Amino acid sequence: MSSLPFEFATANRIVFGAGVVSQLPSLVKQTGASAVLMVAGANTQRVRAPLDALVEAGLRCEVFSVPGEPTVDDVRRGVIAGQGCHAVVAMGGGSVIDAGKAIAAMLANGGDPLDYLEVVGRGAPLTKPALPLIAVPTTAGTGSEVTRNAVLGVPDAGVKASMRSAGMLPWVALVDPDLLASLPREVLRSSGLDALAQNIEPFLSLAANPLTDALARDGIRRSARALRGAYLKGADAAAREDLALASLFGGLSLANAGLGVVHGFAAPLGGMFNAPHGAVCAALLAASLDVNHRALQQRAPHHPSVARLAELGTLLQTDPRAEAAVAWVARLCADLEVPGLAAYGLTAADLPTVVAKAQNASSMKKNPLVLTEPELTEILHRSL
């Protein structure tokens, strides 16, 4: 969005393609590790085949299960499970990969997660690179396989916050679209809309740069052509590839250009309610775009994001108007039967608390404009 200098950081290596999960044992061996911690979701049977392949390759494996979105306590338990391991494999959705990144960082640095956590922790820097981490996403949403942070729940504070360091970037992002073949429709919906948001928000971000722009534009196009059909009819090989690349590009973009109001709200909402991150982003996306557009028109009509919102209309449906982009996203969410935030327990009485917490979220800093309290409240109210 500007001509200012920028930097671009990502995983040490990205391996993408149908069937590339078969390369996992050789990639782990390239780290020099002889013992590996496998971080998985609630159903560890889903990693049985790759786990068997690691054992057959002569590696000692420990398995650690993350039952839901990770908390600081999950990370503490994972560190205990990973004692004596030299590398970490995180295979699952964004929650599993975030847990794996945090565990790998803690195994290398010691201490407690709250020593390093932003907002509600001490925010101390991680001084040592994390253990080598191979991130294997099985959903297409968060892009966590190429980001430098891990979002952790802190139940005592009722919030989610990030542990963040360039040293947390995965050693390898191993992205196999075939792993999406058995994804439930609801997970495909929430993760796919999260990926769309994570391409749109960096594209509108104050820190957008030429590299993230190129990735976000392609990610938006891929989401637009694949997501509706994949949810309604099932994801064929072409759709799986589009969704996996959209997720990857969103992760690359957000890691280097930041996010905006959708993810600014997602952090406190995820901490206060038992709501999946992707589902929260899906519920917020249409209203957030609309309110951002109106605020820009009223207070900054010459802001670069005004033209970008119009371009978004073209990227989504060839209509070069911001209003068309907002309407397209709203129709998509209706077609995908996206639940409102009330489905997760949010009520009108909660809105002031959520707004107050969201105003301090790191993602808000890259939103095109600082939105007012009434504007933020409107987004939440319309997303109920």
Side-chain angles (χ1 to χ4, degrees), residues 309 312-314 316-317 319-329 331:
L309 273 164
L312 180 60
T314 302
L316 292 171
Q317 64 168 38
D319 187 337
R321 297 179 301 119
E323 294 86 354
V326 173
W328 189 95
V329 170
R331 284 196 305 273

Side-chain angles (χ1 to χ4, degrees), residues 11-37:
N12 175 66
R13 183 178 175 191
I14 298 171
V15 180
F16 183 96
V20 296
V21 70
S22 65
Q23 298 180 30
L24 181 60
S26 65
L27 291 170
V28 172
K29 285 201 161 186
Q30 288 171 33
T31 70
S34 59
V36 60
L37 177 68

Side-chain angles (χ1 to χ4, degrees), residues 182-256:
S182 60
L183 209 60
R185 292 172 78 237
E186 294 76 13
V187 176
L188 188 150
R189 172 182 64 198
S190 60
S191 62
L193 284 167
D194 187 21
L196 178 60
Q198 290 178 171
N199 281 282
I200 290 174
E201 289 201 301
F203 184 60
L204 302 177
S205 165
L206 294 175
N209 66 65
L211 268 176
T212 60
D213 285 349
L215 291 164
R217 285 185 173 104
D218 195 43
I220 291 165
R221 291 189 189 99
R222 289 178 184 275
S223 287
R225 75 186 181 208
L227 185 51
R228 181 182 279 102
Y231 176 76
L232 296 174
K233 302 175 185 177
D236 60 15
R240 293 196 298 269
E241 180 172 300
D242 274 344
L243 294 173
L245 283 171
S247 177
L248 176 64
F249 294 168
L252 292 166
S253 297
L254 76 89
N256 292 281

Side-chain angles (χ1 to χ4, degrees), residues 39 42 75-76 115-116 151 180 231 233 251 259-260 278 313-314 316 352:
V39 181
V75 174
R76 292 172 183 135
D115 293 336
Y116 309 104
V151 180
L180 307 180
Y231 176 76
K233 302 175 185 177
L259 290 160
T314 302
L316 292 171

Side-chain angles (χ1 to χ4, degrees), residues 93 103 172 175 185 207-208 237 274 287 289 346 381:
I103 292 166
V172 177
V175 186
R185 292 172 78 237
N274 185 23
L289 282 175
L346 183 70
H381 183 76

Side-chain angles (χ1 to χ4, degrees), residues 271-287:
M272 293 171 65
F273 301 93
N274 185 23
H277 172 78
V280 169
C281 293
L284 289 161
L285 182 56

Side-chain angles (χ1 to χ4, degrees), residues 325-337:
V326 173
W328 189 95
V329 170
R331 284 196 305 273
L332 177 67
C333 291
D335 290 346
L336 270 58
E337 305 166 300

